[in-house]
Amino acid sequence: MIITRLRLAPFAGIVQRTVEFRPGLTVVLGPNEAGKSTLMAALRLLLFMPAECGKRRFQKEVARFMPLGGGDTIRAELDFRIADAGDGLFRLARSWGEGARSELTLPDGTLLAGDQTVQQQLDELLGFREGTWRTVLFAGQSAVADALGSLDRDGDPVTDLAAILRRAVFETDGISIEQLERAIEMQHGACFRRWDRELNRPENNRGIDNPYSREVGRILQAFYDRERARRARDTALAHERELDEMNRRLSELAAETEGLSLFLDQNRQAAEDARKRTVIELERQALGQVEEALRRITTAWPVTEQEVKGLTERRNLLIEADTVLAAELERSATAAAARRNVEKLERAEREHKAWLQASAALSGLPAVSEDDYRSAVSLDQELQQLTAGLRAGRITLSLIPRVPLELTSRNDVDDPAAHRLAAGESLDLVAGGQINLEHPQWSLTVSSGEADVGELRRQFGRLSTEYTARLDSLGFSSLADARAARETSAAAQREAETCRQRLVTVLDGETIEALRKRSPAGRDESGHRPVEVIAREQGRTSGEMREIEGAVTAKEQQLSAWQSEYGSMDNLLDRLLEKRSALKSAEQRLASLSPLPDGMGAAADFVDRFETCQADFQQKSELLTQLKMDRLELQARGPRETMEEAEAALREALAAEQRVLREAEAVERIREAFAEVRSSLDAETMDPWIEQLEQVVPRLTAGRYQGVGVGQGSGARLPGGTEVPADRLSMGTRAGVGLAVRLSMARYFLKDTDGFLILDDPMVDMDPQRQAAAAAVLGEFAAERQTIIFTCHPAHADLLGGCLVQLDSPGREER
């Protein structure tokens, strides 16, 4: 596409302006606010903005270009040529606002109208997507400098560059690789969407109970269809099984009901007679019981009267015997009481005598004062402690005289002892604290040195004197004698107290004198039976009397009851004859009834069985009716498909699922093959562009940099291979490298086409040396492809050369 003329009437602040362009290089020169940016915006809107673009897009991209004077419509026209279409001229006209329209006039005069038709034709003529033109071929002032930084982002320039270069190898007959890729991805998504390929199940395991309703892939849909068909088959199978089970129950119940009905029809009369038989048998049984009772009464009545008479006579005899026994019991009790008084007096006198003897024995014993005895015991204990203290130590003395010797020894507090020793005879003495030897001619004392033995002996003497005096006052020679006398006195005192207690117990609150007064002079030796024997005999007599009285009372009451009920014996006999006649009538009626069926033991049992069959028949009949209604309801709410249809639908769903799986596998293989081919192509598409780029970079950077690194953290590469990141480069270097990138990208985008490149002040950040180099490179590019450069610097326009379009002020056509 080669642009020849652009006309605005009106557009933004321009009322009317026409600008013509030439092949090769066109430089549009004008000061700021002269309308350069407006011309670039008009070109973009003409090529890519539909007349009816929608309210949001209009406000975002078109509204700011509406006429400043308040008009409601803006218009623009563009004339261009296509090399493949000869020299014919295309004219594109668009209006936005109230008079929105789109028209494209072809070289042969054909007019295309409407946004969709015009844009479709334009897309074919332009060859690239809108993003490619906006990013690569319409480069504003800042876009030139930022071209290097854009290479490390996954944006349209690199992506579209690779896509354009792939088309040269991959596309044939107008088939777009992107369209093919989109078609493959659409098919792949249509197959595998919402399907977990690793687990081979729906994503998140959402089966038919919680299915996805949107973005359902074909595999998942086939899975849902198969599971629904399976569930429908299972439902149909369960329904048929339930129906079969209900039919079986109906059949069994109908057979049972029919059997019960036959039994009831055959035995209805027999059952009725059996009910009568039961009533009559109960009546006969009751009459038999009454007749038997009356018969027993007729027999028992006279016997009972005779028994009452005999029992009354026996009772009178027992009354007389009881009177005699009561008098004898009184006499025997009086004699027994007298005997007990005599025996009590005898025991009391024996106990009184023993008490007197014990008291006399106690009074003959010496009295030992408790205080005197305790004082003697205390003195004895002190003497023993003193003696133990003297003997706590141990000293020994051995004496062997050479001549016969007589002497006296005393150990501790022991009494002195005389000794007669022959010459050479040994005297061995042992003491606790001191040994004294006395001889007419000498005296020897041996002490342990641990105690004052003299003082201890004086204490011992004093205590011994006091102890002896205490025993003398008690009348005993030793403490053991005093202790023995004291224990004997205590024993005698306990014996006297025991005798006294026994006497008190025997007297039981009486005195012995009173007991002597009311006791007879001697024992009553007359022959009386024991009270116990008389009492037992009287008890038996009384018991028999009570039994007889009870029996007489009961029998008299029975006779009274019979008389009250029947009046007399004759009336009883008449009643008995009546019952016998009624019993005979009942037996005759039983004989007239039909017999029970074979195997029936009793009428009541047969009636029970018949009534049970009736109830069972009624229950089963109602159940049979209910089952029939249930079957109708089950048939009515059954599935729409039969079991055979559901099985066929399941087979179809399974087959369809297999087809979808095979198709999905084919799509997957195509996708993998396509990705492999595209990957191999992508690996090669960037190489020629990088080579061209590295030829231009040294020229635009005055030989300082040799190339550009493309990728994460891209930058300019020094001759030694060191890469300087883009954000570390100077503005002039960034502008030069950016222009190199922009031109190399445009060169490959416009390869084999007659497109154009538009740049806005590409040399504004360069020094004069780089500006000259840039002008040369741009001239070489413009020699191959139409290049339009907008600038506000006359010096830049002079360096660039080419066709100059001078913009002085808005509203006039200038060249």
Side-chain angles (χ1 to χ4, degrees):
M1 174 184 290
I2 300 175
I3 299 174
T4 61
R5 186 175 67 89
L6 173 63
R7 183 173 181 270
L8 308 179
F11 195 94
I14 300 175
V15 178
Q16 182 175 350
R17 172 173 287 169
T18 301
V19 179
E20 294 186 359
F21 303 93
R22 298 287 185 267
L25 178 61
T26 299
V27 178
V28 180
L29 175 64
N32 292 329
E33 304 299 330
K36 299 189 300 298
S37 299
T38 302
L39 293 177
M40 292 182 66
L43 283 172
R44 282 196 296 269
L45 291 181
L46 276 167
L47 293 175
F48 305 111
M49 182 61 66
E52 296 180 357
C53 55
K55 184 177 180 180
R56 293 181 60 185
R57 194 173 180 187
F58 181 88
Q59 290 297 327
K60 181 179 180 182
E61 300 188 43
V62 180
R64 67 177 183 271
F65 300 114
M66 295 301 289
L68 297 178
D72 60 6
T73 303
I74 58 174
R75 295 187 182 89
E77 292 181 0
L78 180 67
D79 293 345
F80 60 90
R81 291 186 174 88
I82 300 296
D84 293 342
D87 293 333
L89 185 67
F90 291 82
R91 174 163 291 177
L92 173 64
R94 289 188 193 266
S95 298
W96 296 271
E98 290 298 324
R101 64 183 179 87
S102 291
E103 293 180 349
L104 177 62
T105 304
L106 303 182
D108 61 1
T110 303
L111 178 63
L112 302 178
D115 284 331
Q116 184 175 359
T117 304
V118 170
Q119 196 63 48
Q120 184 177 358
Q121 184 66 38
L122 275 178
D123 289 342
E124 294 179 2
L125 296 174
L126 291 170
F128 311 131
R129 293 186 302 167
E130 177 183 356
T132 302
W133 285 97
R134 284 178 177 268
T135 306
V136 178
L137 303 177
F138 280 82
Q141 180 177 336
S142 60
V144 174
D146 290 340
L148 180 62
S150 68
L151 292 179
D152 66 351
R153 300 190 298 270
D154 187 16
D156 273 347
V158 176
T159 303
D160 286 349
L161 174 63
I164 295 299
L165 296 179
R166 279 198 305 272
R167 289 192 184 101
V169 179
F170 200 90
E171 294 180 4
T172 59
D173 297 333
I175 299 175
S176 169
I177 184 173
E178 280 73 23
Q179 292 178 354
L180 177 59
E181 182 180 16
R182 287 195 296 271
I184 292 174
E185 290 301 323
M186 288 178 60
Q187 287 297 321
H188 189 271
C191 290
F192 291 99
R193 193 176 297 113
R194 298 290 191 184
W195 185 255
D196 191 330
R197 299 174 64 188
E198 292 184 1
L199 299 178
N200 195 33
R201 70 183 188 186
E203 289 181 358
N204 301 317
N205 201 23
R206 291 180 59 173
I208 58 175
D209 293 324
N210 184 25
Y212 287 104
S213 60
R214 301 174 60 184
E215 299 182 0
V216 177
R218 296 177 61 196
I219 294 178
L220 180 58
Q221 187 61 51
F223 172 82
Y224 284 160
D225 293 343
R226 183 248 297 170
E227 287 301 306
R228 291 189 181 100
R230 190 188 304 279
R231 180 168 292 184
R233 189 278 312 272
D234 293 343
T235 301
L237 178 60
H239 178 265
E240 291 198 3
R241 287 178 178 173
E242 186 178 1
L243 190 60
D244 291 342
E245 175 64 18
M246 188 171 290
N247 288 331
R248 183 190 63 78
R249 290 171 57 196
L250 277 170
S251 178
E252 292 177 355
L253 193 59
E256 293 174 3
T257 305
E258 184 177 356
L260 290 172
S261 177
L262 181 62
F263 174 82
L264 294 174
D265 291 341
Q266 292 176 348
N267 295 280
R268 199 173 304 279
Q269 184 60 46
E272 184 64 28
D273 287 349
R275 290 190 186 91
K276 295 178 181 179
R277 182 182 298 276
T278 301
V279 175
I280 295 173
E281 284 181 348
L282 292 174
E283 181 183 351
R284 184 183 65 174
Q285 183 179 359
L287 288 171
Q289 292 174 353
V290 173
E291 188 270 340
E292 177 63 21
L294 292 175
R295 185 183 61 77
R296 286 197 301 270
I297 293 171
T298 56
T299 302
W301 194 328
V303 173
T304 301
E305 288 178 343
Q306 290 299 321
E307 289 176 348
V308 169
K309 183 178 179 181
L311 289 172
T312 301
E313 293 174 356
R314 174 62 179 167
R315 181 181 60 185
N316 294 334
L317 293 175
L318 289 174
I319 291 172
E320 294 176 359
D322 183 68
T323 302
V324 173
L325 287 172
E328 184 182 3
L329 180 61
E330 183 178 359
R331 289 193 300 272
S332 179
T334 301
R339 287 195 301 272
R340 285 194 298 274
N341 286 332
V342 172
E343 291 173 356
K344 183 176 180 180
L345 178 61
E346 291 175 351
R347 289 197 305 274
E349 289 178 342
R350 285 196 302 272
E351 296 298 336
H352 185 263
K353 182 179 180 180
W355 176 58
L356 292 176
Q357 291 175 349
S359 298
L362 177 62
S363 63
L365 293 175
V368 180
S369 170
E370 179 70 21
D371 292 339
D372 291 341
Y373 176 74
R374 290 186 178 278
S375 177
V377 170
S378 177
L379 290 171
D380 181 64
Q381 290 176 350
E382 289 185 29
L383 286 171
Q384 290 179 6
Q385 291 174 359
L386 185 60
T387 302
L390 285 171
R391 293 176 178 173
R394 182 177 178 83
I395 59 175
T396 61
L397 174 65
S398 181
L399 177 64
I400 303 174
R402 292 189 177 94
V403 295
L405 182 66
E406 292 181 3
L407 53 81
T408 301
S409 68
R410 185 180 183 185
N411 299 341
D412 297 326
V413 294
D414 294 344
D415 294 333
H419 302 279
R420 186 184 297 274
L421 302 177
E425 183 181 358
S426 174
L427 174 63
D428 297 319
L429 298 174
V430 178
Q434 190 177 71
I435 299 174
N436 293 98
L437 296 180
E438 295 290 337
H439 187 268
Q441 297 177 352
W442 50 269
S443 174
L444 175 66
T445 300
V446 180
S447 301
S448 64
E450 298 177 354
D452 187 354
V453 177
E455 177 63 27
L456 292 175
R457 282 179 174 174
R458 284 190 294 273
Q459 292 181 10
F460 184 81
R462 180 177 55 77
L463 291 173
S464 296
T465 301
E466 187 177 352
Y467 176 64
T468 302
R470 183 67 63 187
L471 289 177
D472 291 342
S473 67
L474 293 174
F476 299 101
S477 61
S478 66
L479 182 62
D481 293 341
R483 183 182 298 110
R486 187 170 179 275
E487 291 176 355
T488 301
S489 176
Q493 188 174 2
R494 287 195 298 273
E495 177 63 21
E497 179 63 21
T498 300
C499 292
R500 190 187 69 81
Q501 289 293 338
R502 286 201 299 267
L503 176 61
V504 171
T505 301
V506 170
L507 290 175
D508 192 21
E510 292 185 281
T511 63
I512 195 168
E513 290 76 10
L515 188 59
R516 288 172 178 161
K517 289 180 181 179
R518 64 184 181 85
S519 297
R523 290 179 176 272
D524 183 7
E525 301 296 339
S526 57
H528 294 288
R529 290 194 300 171
V531 173
E532 295 79 6
V533 174
I534 301 171
R536 283 196 298 271
E537 185 176 349
Q538 187 180 28
R540 287 194 296 271
T541 301
S542 298
E544 186 178 357
M545 287 174 59
R546 286 194 298 273
E547 290 177 359
I548 291 174
E549 288 177 355
V552 168
T553 300
K555 292 182 182 297
E556 287 178 346
Q557 289 176 350
Q558 182 64 71
L559 290 172
S560 177
W562 288 339
Q563 290 175 354
S564 175
E565 184 174 0
Y566 304 111
S568 64
M569 190 67 180
D570 294 338
N571 293 337
L572 176 61
L573 292 173
D574 293 340
R575 182 81 62 86
L576 177 59
L577 292 176
E578 291 176 1
K579 296 301 179 183
R580 285 179 176 174
S581 175
L583 181 61
K584 184 176 181 179
S585 173
E587 290 176 347
Q588 290 174 351
R589 281 183 285 140
L590 281 175
S592 65
L593 296 175
S594 57
L596 296 174
D598 295 338
M600 295 297 166
D605 296 337
F606 174 68
V607 171
D608 289 343
R609 178 180 175 185
F610 186 85
E611 291 177 350
T612 300
C613 288
Q614 271 188 324
D616 198 13
F617 174 77
Q618 181 66 27
Q619 181 181 6
K620 283 182 169 53
S621 297
E622 294 175 357
L623 182 58
L624 183 63
T625 301
Q626 184 61 44
L627 275 177
K628 290 179 180 179
M629 294 176 64
D630 292 344
R631 182 174 63 178
L632 291 174
E633 182 180 354
L634 180 62
Q635 291 172 341
R637 60 181 171 85
R640 293 192 299 269
E641 296 177 323
T642 64
M643 181 61 188
E644 292 75 11
E645 292 172 343
E647 284 283 1
L650 177 58
R651 288 194 296 270
E652 291 177 3
L654 289 170
E657 183 181 34
Q658 293 303 314
R659 286 195 302 272
V660 170
L661 290 175
R662 289 194 297 271
E663 293 173 2
E665 291 175 0
V667 170
E668 179 65 20
R669 289 195 298 271
I670 293 171
R671 183 171 181 255
E672 292 174 354
F674 176 81
E676 183 178 356
V677 173
R678 176 168 180 168
S679 177
S680 64
L681 292 175
D682 285 346
E684 301 174 356
T685 52
M686 300 295 288
D687 294 341
W689 174 64
I690 295 297
E691 293 176 2
Q692 291 294 326
L693 180 62
E694 292 182 349
Q695 294 176 6
V696 180
V697 169
R699 296 176 62 188
L700 293 177
T701 60
R704 180 173 176 78
Y705 294 95
Q706 298 298 315
V708 175
V710 180
Q712 185 67 28
S714 61
R717 189 172 64 253
L718 294 170
T722 302
E723 187 170 310
V724 180
D727 58 359
R728 301 286 295 276
L729 299 174
S730 66
M731 287 300 298
T733 302
R734 284 175 59 86
V737 175
L739 180 58
V741 172
R742 185 70 61 182
L743 290 176
S744 61
M745 291 172 62
R747 187 184 301 277
Y748 276 92
F749 270 96
L750 299 177
K751 184 180 181 180
D752 299 330
T753 68
D754 57 351
F756 56 88
L757 172 65
I758 297 177
L759 300 174
D760 185 13
D761 264 337
M763 301 185 299
V764 67
D765 293 323
M766 299 180 186
D767 57 32
Q769 184 181 3
R770 288 189 173 90
Q771 288 178 0
V777 171
L778 287 170
E780 293 173 2
F781 182 86
E784 300 175 2
R785 294 291 181 270
Q786 184 182 28
T787 304
I788 301 172
I789 298 177
F790 293 84
T791 181
C792 60
H793 302 281
H796 295 176
D798 293 339
L799 282 174
L800 290 169
C803 179
L804 179 65
V805 176
Q806 185 75 35
L807 299 180
D808 290 333
S809 61
R812 292 188 304 162
E813 179 180 337
E814 299 179 6
R815 301 183 184 177

